[in-house]
Amino acid sequence: MKKYRCEICGYIYDPQTGDPDNNIAPGTAFEDIPDEWTCPICGADKDAFDEYSE
């Protein structure tokens, strides 16, 4: 699964770890995260994320 990076603060969403603090289970693809989810660091909307490759 692809990782995504917040354009605002640089937070990397990794589907392997999810975002358990915000009820996003490990293994959840970015596309499957609810649209109302926001960056856990800066609060940016989901549309502020771009696909990330290391």
Side-chain angles (χ1 to χ4, degrees), residues 1-4 13-15 28-31 51-52:
M1 284 188 272
K2 300 174 187 170
K3 295 180 182 179
Y4 285 79
Y13 175 76
D14 183 347
T28 303
F30 188 78
E31 297 81 15
E51 193 174 314
Y52 174 77

Side-chain angles (χ1 to χ4, degrees), residues 27-43:
T28 303
F30 188 78
E31 297 81 15
D32 295 334
I33 296 173
D35 289 337
E36 59 272 3
W37 178 83
T38 58
C39 177
I41 303 298
C42 71

Side-chain angles (χ1 to χ4, degrees), residues 7-30:
E7 297 173 352
I8 309 298
C9 71
Y11 168 80
I12 307 278
Y13 175 76
D14 183 347
Q16 290 188 334
T17 55
D19 182 12
D21 292 340
N22 292 295
N23 299 317
I24 306 297
T28 303
F30 188 78

